Amino acid sequence: MNAPGLPEPAFNLWFAALGRLAAEQDLGWLAAAPGQSHHAAFAAGLTPAEYLESYAAMAEWRGCGG
C-alpha cells in the first residue's frame, strides 16, 4: 500500500523495524500487515518504537492480543 506523498522505500524500512520490535515483544500481530494507521504514524514522524508503545498500551487496555 503506497500512501500518497510517502516514499515507499523509507516506509518499508520503518515497517520492517516495527515488525522486529513487535516480534521481540510478542506483539507481532500489531505489525502483521501494513495499514493506514501505520502509514499515518510514519507520516507523522513517529518512530516504530513510539508507534508500538502507543498501540501496545491501547491493546492491553482493551484486552487484545496475548
Side-chain angles (χ1 to χ4, degrees):
M1 179 174 162
N2 192 5
L6 295 180
E8 193 66 22
F11 173 78
N12 290 341
L13 290 172
W14 183 93
F15 191 74
L18 176 66
R20 286 189 298 277
L21 289 171
E24 289 172 4
Q25 297 179 34
D26 199 24
L27 297 169
W29 58 273
L30 283 173
Q36 188 174 8
S37 65
H38 299 110
H39 281 282
F42 174 77
L46 292 177
T47 67
E50 291 167 335
Y51 177 82
L52 184 62
E53 183 180 324
S54 67
Y55 267 76
M58 181 174 54
E60 185 177 316
W61 179 75
R62 291 185 177 175
C64 300

